[in-house]
């Protein structure tokens, strides 16, 4: 396959830069505690300085993998498939989700919303970033809003983002892991004063699982 042929398949979502895939327990947000198969897609230009998966940023570091193979492997493990990154909406998620839905599984995505929505999703977790704000269509469709709290200004940002999502979207504040000892008490106080919000913790890290 030539480079141009490979790029064409990537552009169509028929190949995806697969960083890793694994079966584990969803640790965050509404579905925490649920067994799920994670598919991590490479490529992200949002550039969060506290990102704990910086190795996902460069798509070219991860092998272009046939969407059919990703689906075939994923459905062997779980009825719930979580697509994450990187930023998965960098790529066309239509072919991947079409094939997953044909297998009768639940499709979840974790996204910054920096690119327009593609694919068919049963659950959309929107985790917006200041450096590259979400697209309007992602705000409208998000099932949960997960705002990461690194410093006090992030509470202001979280309220801005909450004003943009749909009325049924569940609102979460989650401590940035390296700052958790400092910000958890602040989050607890904030949620008690503003009970429209819920606390999300990275429980998989406490469980010492992927």
């Amino acid at each position: 396959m030539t480079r141009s042929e490979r790029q064409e398949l990537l552009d169509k979502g028929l190949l995806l830069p697969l960083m890793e895939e694994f079966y584990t327990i969803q640790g965050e947000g509404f579905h925490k505690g649920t067994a799920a198969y994670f598919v991590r897609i490479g490529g992200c230009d949002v550039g969060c300085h506290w990102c704990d998966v910086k190795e996902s940023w460069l798509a070219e570091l991860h092998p272009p993998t046939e969407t059919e193979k990703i689906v075939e492997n994923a459905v062997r493990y779980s009825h719930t498939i979580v697509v994450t990154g990187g930023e998965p909406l960098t790529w066309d998620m239509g072919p991947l989700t079409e094939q997953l839905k044909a297998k009768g599984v639940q499709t979840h995505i974790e996204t910054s919303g920096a690119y327009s929505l593609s694919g068919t999703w049963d659950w959309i977790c929107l985790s917006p970033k200041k450096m590259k704000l979400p697209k309007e269509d992602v705000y409208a469709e998000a099932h949960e809003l997960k705002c990461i709290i690194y410093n006090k200004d992030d509470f202001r940002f979280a309220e801005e983002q909450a004003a943009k999502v749909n009325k049924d979207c569940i609102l979460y504040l989650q401590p940035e892991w390296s700052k958790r000892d400092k910000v958890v008490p602040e989050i607890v106080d904030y949620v008690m004063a503003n009970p429209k919000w819920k606390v999300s913790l990275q429980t998989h890290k406490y469980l010492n699982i992927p």
Side-chain angles (χ1 to χ4, degrees), residues 16-88:
L16 292 169
L18 181 63
M19 177 181 167
E20 60 180 345
E21 48 188 339
F22 50 91
Y23 186 42
T24 188
I25 301 295
Q26 170 62 275
E28 304 175 6
F30 183 80
H31 292 282
K32 64 181 178 297
T34 302
Y37 193 78
F38 280 71
V39 176
R40 188 181 302 281
I41 305 299
C44 183
D45 62 358
V46 178
C48 305
H49 65 92
W50 40 256
C51 176
D52 56 3
V53 200
K54 287 188 172 71
E55 58 271 30
S56 70
W57 290 6
L58 294 177
E60 55 266 31
L61 297 181
H62 308 294
T65 304
E66 293 177 5
T67 305
E68 292 91 340
K69 290 184 177 178
I70 297 174
V71 171
E72 180 182 346
N73 197 43
V75 299
R76 290 170 48 220
Y77 290 90
S78 182
H79 184 71
T80 300
I81 312 301
V82 181
V83 181
T84 186
E87 175 44 68

Side-chain angles (χ1 to χ4, degrees), residues 180-190:
R180 63 192 182 280
D181 291 341
K182 180 179 185 299
V183 301
V184 162
E186 297 173 355
I187 291 173
V188 169
D189 289 345
Y190 194 89

Side-chain angles (χ1 to χ4, degrees), residues 116-130:
S116 288
L117 200 60
S118 60
T120 301
W121 304 102
D122 296 295
W123 194 263
I124 299 170
C125 173
L126 172 60
S127 185
K129 306 299 186 294
K130 295 175 184 175

Side-chain angles (χ1 to χ4, degrees), residues 172-183:
Y172 288 102
L173 299 176
Q174 179 171 297
E176 196 280 321
W177 182 252
S178 71
K179 297 287 186 178
R180 63 192 182 280
D181 291 341
K182 180 179 185 299
V183 301

